[in-house]
Amino acid sequence: FQALCPGLTITEFHDKLDGFNRSRVPSFMWMSAVEVVRQSLDALDGGAVIFVPGAVNRAIAAITRTPIFTPFVWLGSSIVRR
């Protein structure tokens, strides 16, 4: 089994979102579904249980895991201590 976190993938999913304009997102952030699947299957063969395809997606995932981007930092440490 594998948990795939695909990021922005070119599919009809985003076409169905009301008010979403794909052109507002830089093209380098999008991956084709074929490439997402290829990378996912390669990672699965390598034993990856949780997988984020694409260098951009992995960078975003790493950045958002840093403490400065967590809600606790945004809300302030006094709230966390209560």
Side-chain angles (χ1 to χ4, degrees), residues 64 66-77 79-80:
T64 58
T66 60
I68 196 166
F69 290 103
T70 63
F72 296 114
V73 173
W74 293 340
L75 296 174
S77 60
I79 295 173
V80 175

Side-chain angles (χ1 to χ4, degrees), residues 1-20:
F1 294 98
Q2 182 187 66
L4 174 63
C5 308
L8 294 170
T9 305
I10 301 170
T11 66
E12 64 280 352
F13 174 81
H14 292 96
D15 297 336
K16 303 292 183 192
L17 295 176
D18 188 36
F20 183 81

